[in-house]
Every structure is written in C-alpha cells, then in structure tokens.
Amino acid sequence: MGAHESPNCPVARRLKEARLGAGLSQRRLGIAAGIDPGTASTRINRYERGAHIPDYSTLTAIAHVLNVPVAWFYADRDDLASWILAFDSSLSPRN
Amino acid sequence: MGAHESPNCPVARRLKEARLGAGLSQRRLGIAAGIDPGTASTRINRYERGAHIPDYSTLTAIAHVLNVPVAWFYADRDDLASWILAFDSSLSPRN
DNA sequence: ACACTAAGAGTGTCTTAGCCT
DNA sequence: AGGCTAAGACACTCTTAGTGT
C-alpha cells in the first residue's frame, strides 16, 4: 500500500460542497480557519481533492467557519448529512 | 506543534463507549475489524487512549463491527451522538 | 486473557515553489 | 484572482517487543 490517496472519505466532497455554499475561495476559507495565508490555498485544495485529510483541530476550525458540526464532514450518505444539519439548526438560533 | 496527543477528538471516548457496549475486548474488536491479530490490541488501545487516530478505512471497518455510522465517532456532543444513532436505527427498511 | 506503553520503521501531511486558467 | 500540483521537510501512525494487571 504505497498510495497517498484517500479511498472513499466523504470529507473531500463535503468540504467543497460547504465552501461553495458559503461563497468562499479555497484560500479565503483556509485563512478564516486560521491557516497561514501562504499555505491556506494549497492545504484546502488538497483536502477537497481527497489527497490529504485534515486533522481534527484543523477540521474543527473549518467547521466553525462553515457553521457545520465536524461529524457532518464524515457523513457517508447524503440523507445522514441532512439529518445532522437538521440537528445543528435546531440549537443555534434560539427559536 | 510537536505533540502527538489528540486534543479533544471525540473518537477516543466514542470508541471505548461503543466497544464496551458491544462487550468486546480491544483485541477482539480489532481482529473483527480486519486488523492483524498481532497488532489489533495495541492499535485499538492507542485509539481509545487518544494517542493515535484511526484512518478512514480503519474507522469504517470498526464502525461496521460496532453498528454505528463513521460520523458518530466524530460527534463532539452527546446529544448529537444520540441524534445520529436515531437516524441509524430508522434505515433498515429502504426509504 | 486483558490493558497498556516505548521507540524505530513506515506512511502520511505540510510547506515551498511554482504552473495553468 | 482562483484552482491546482510535485517533492522535500516534517509529523504522524504502525509494528515490534515487552511490562503489569
């Protein structure tokens, strides 16, 4: 196993989906998540292409910017992803 | 950042919680997930102690053994974890 | 049998320095 | 500007070998 590609990890496609929904560039999302401006574009790009997987603290920062729970990135089915968002939106805005 | 301890990643405690619930030893869970018997105990132990984080394919195999979605391991709140399990138990018959 | 650990081997991510559109 | 990539630097996980319960 000498590969360095992530098999079927949903993080890549969820990240792209959420970033585009927020109207951010790869670079601007990375900077907003606290990543060094010089590497923000490269790192977010690698995550979206599925080449690398972000560690937990990085993903937590990204999740905060995009207003989703970290678990949402790991939802392997679209219906589960929606289910998680439904939970999320029922506790941020008070009524 | 020279540390090799996972900060607040929920995977460690969720894994232990689910394994104990299933009544499996660290070694038996690892073997059931397809990990080499010679390293199963060590690896699962590292995951539960928060020393290492399993990669996606390993976590997928563990999730299958324990009957939970991968996303559940990343639920940072107990109420979100319960919410995810509620979804999981309602999809045996097709939708 | 079960839980756990150190340390070298092995595998992955991060940074630098770019190209292409 | 925005998307994307290779390759060395660097950090992490995995395996081996072993301790203690």
Side-chain angles (χ1 to χ4, degrees):
Chain A
M1 327 294 244
H4 44 289
E5 294 271 324
S6 308
N8 292 321
C9 186
V11 172
R13 60 175 178 274
R14 298 264 171 250
L15 179 55
K16 183 170 188 176
E17 174 188 350
R19 177 181 62 82
L20 292 178
L24 294 169
S25 69
Q26 294 174 341
R27 174 176 154 88
R28 285 175 68 88
L29 169 59
I31 292 172
I35 296 174
D36 183 274
T39 66
S41 173
T42 299
R43 286 179 60 185
I44 299 295
N45 183 64
R46 248 72 275 283
Y47 299 150
E48 289 191 4
R49 303 291 292 178
H52 296 168
I53 297 180
D55 64 23
Y56 184 72
S57 64
T58 301
L59 196 55
T60 298
I62 293 172
H64 188 256
V65 172
L66 297 175
N67 262 296
V68 293
V70 172
W72 177 80
F73 288 110
Y74 283 94
D76 48 0
R77 303 167 45 129
D78 287 343
D79 48 5
L80 175 56
S82 298
W83 182 263
I84 290 172
L85 289 188
F87 172 86
D88 196 43
S89 60
S90 72
L91 40 77
S92 314
R94 212 56 243 167
N95 294 342
Chain B
M1 301 22 194
H4 44 290
E5 295 271 325
S6 309
N8 292 322
C9 187
V11 172
R13 60 175 179 273
R14 298 266 173 249
L15 178 55
K16 182 169 189 175
E17 175 187 349
R19 176 181 64 83
L20 293 179
L24 293 169
S25 69
Q26 293 174 342
R27 175 178 152 88
R28 286 175 68 88
L29 169 60
I31 292 173
I35 296 175
D36 183 274
T39 65
S41 173
T42 300
R43 286 178 61 184
I44 299 295
N45 183 64
R46 249 72 277 283
Y47 299 150
E48 289 190 4
R49 303 291 293 179
H52 296 169
I53 298 179
D55 64 23
Y56 183 71
S57 62
T58 300
L59 197 55
T60 298
I62 293 172
H64 189 257
V65 172
L66 297 175
N67 259 299
V68 292
V70 173
W72 177 79
F73 289 110
Y74 283 95
D76 48 0
R77 304 166 46 130
D78 287 343
D79 49 5
L80 176 56
S82 299
W83 181 262
I84 291 173
L85 289 188
F87 172 87
D88 196 42
S89 60
S90 72
L91 46 68
S92 313
R94 65 177 174 83
N95 250 6

